[in-house]
Amino acid sequence: MVPQERAGAILTIDLEAIVENWRLLSARLGEAACGAVVKADAYGLGACRVAAALEAAGCRSFFVALLDEGVALRKALSAGSRIFVLNGTPQGMEGDFIAARLIPVVNTLGELAAWQERARAAGCFLPVALQVDSGMSRLGLAPSDAEKIWNDPSLLDGLSIELVMSHLACADEPGHPANEAQRKNFERLRAVLPAAPASLANSSGIFLGAPYHYEVARPGAALYGINPTSSCENPMRPVIRLSARVIQIRDIPEDTAIGYGQAAMTQRASRLATISLGYADGWPRNAAAAAFYQGVRLPFAGRVSMDSIILDITDGARQPREGDMVDLICEEQKVDDVARAAGTIGYEILTRLGRRFHRRYIDTNAGPVSVDDFKE
Ligand SMILES: *Cc1c(COP(=O)(O)O)cnc(C)c1O
C-alpha cells in the first residue's frame, strides 16, 4: 500500500466501530449467536483484519463466499473459530477444505455425496452446513432434495451437521409477506432434516424479530455501517472515512468548460479544486455528490474522471488549499448516501472501493497506537 504522505486518497477503517456494531447486533439477538459475514474481503474492508478483531470480541462463526477466501481467513483465526464457505465445494477441491478446516455450505446433493465420500476416505466425521432454498431460487437444496434425505438418512452418514441455513430475499422490507412465507418454508424443510442448529437472518433479518433469530445470525452489511432497517434511522455506527487530496486549485472565468465532454460550464467566475480520486478508485461515475472540507460542502463540477474529480469551491465558507485532504465518505455523506446518489446499494459502494488507497485501521485493542498504518 502507498504510504500516507504520497497517497492520493486515504481509506480509514474503524475496527472498533465494526466490533461495536457486532456487539449491538449480539445484544439484539439475545440467546442466539452472532456470526460475521466477511466474504468479498469483508465487503472490501479487509477480511483478516476485520475477522481477527471480531474474534477477539467473541465471534466464533465466520462466513466467506469462496474457498480461497476461507483459506486466507484461516491464517488469521484460531482453531476454535468456524469458517463456513457459502458457495460450497468446487468439484475435486474437498481436500483443500479439509486442509484449511473449512466447513462447506452444501447446496446440492452432488456436493453432499462428494463431501461424504471424503469423510469415508478420511475415516472421520466431517462438518457440513446444509443450505435449503426457502424461496429465493438462488442457492440451496430444494424441498425434493430434503425429502430424499428424509427417505434415506444414510445420505448424511459420516457428516456432522453444524448448521441448517437459508437466506431471506426481502429482509430489508419488514412488511413484505415473503419474509413470513420463507420462515414457514424454512420450518417445514428443517422438520424433514435431522435436528441441527439453524440460521436464517442476515443483517436485516435480525431486525425482523426473535422468530428469525434461530441459533446463529449471519450479518454482513450492518457490521460495516450500512443501514439494516430500510425506514428507520441507521442504528449502526459508521465504519469508514474516505478522504482525497486536493492536487490543484484554479480560478476560472465565467462561461468556461469543466471536465470531460465539457459537460458543465462555469456560470460565473469560479474557484475549482481537483482531487486525487476517481472512478478507478471505485467511486461511481454517475454519483453526483460532494466532498466535505471541515464539514463544508463542496459540490462536484463536471464529470468524474478515472483518477480525479473537480470540485466547485467558490462558495465554500472554509476553503482547502493544495495538499489538503477533503472527505468523500464521512459523517456528512455516508455510504448509504453515496449509494443513493449512484442509484445503487451501500453493499456495491463498499465492495467496489479501490485498492490503491492508503489504508489505515483504527484499532486501540492492538496496542497503544490508535491508528495503525497498514502495510501489506
Ligand atoms: C451475503 C450474505 C449474508 C450477509 O448479508 P447482509 O445483508 O450483508 O447482512 C448472509 N447470508 C448469506 C447466505 C449471504 O450470501
Side-chain angles (χ1 to χ4, degrees), residues 41-72:
D41 202 25
Y43 294 40
L45 303 187
C48 288
R49 301 294 299 256
V50 166
L54 289 174
E55 186 183 58
C59 183
R60 291 293 175 267
S61 298
F62 296 87
F63 297 84
V64 295
L66 305 177
L67 165 59
D68 280 337
E69 293 177 346
V71 170

Side-chain angles (χ1 to χ4, degrees), residues 37 39 43 86 131 138 165 167 202-203 218-221 347:
V37 178
K39 62 190 179 188
Y43 294 40
L86 293 167
Q131 175 152 234
R138 184 176 72 170
M165 57 173 274
H167 194 50
N202 65 337
S203 298
R218 310 185 308 268
Y347 298 66

Side-chain angles (χ1 to χ4, degrees), residues 206-324:
I206 294 171
F207 290 81
L208 294 177
Y212 291 82
H213 291 170
Y214 294 98
E215 275 75 32
V216 181
R218 310 185 308 268
L223 296 174
Y224 312 119
I226 291 173
N227 190 354
T229 72
S230 50
S231 48
C232 307
E233 201 178 315
N234 191 349
M236 314 315 299
R237 262 187 60 176
V239 163
I240 64 166
R241 179 184 203 91
L242 178 60
S243 312
R245 195 179 303 284
V246 174
I247 48 178
Q248 185 173 15
I249 293 181
R250 293 181 67 204
D251 289 306
I252 305 285
E254 182 184 355
D255 220 21
T256 308
I258 306 171
Y260 276 120
Q262 301 194 334
M265 304 290 286
T266 53
Q267 303 298 309
R268 53 184 173 159
S270 300
R271 176 165 290 178
L272 303 181
T274 301
I275 60 173
S276 183
L277 174 142
Y279 63 76
D281 298 296
W283 190 271
R285 185 170 171 274
N286 66 336
F292 290 82
Y293 178 68
Q294 297 178 357
V296 172
R297 186 173 193 279
L298 307 170
F300 289 7
R303 290 188 185 152
V304 172
S305 299
M306 186 186 291
D307 314 295
S308 57
I309 296 172
I310 304 160
L311 308 176
D312 184 346
I313 66 170
T314 316
D315 291 332
R318 279 186 293 281
Q319 302 230 337
R321 286 180 299 188
E322 288 173 357
D324 284 347

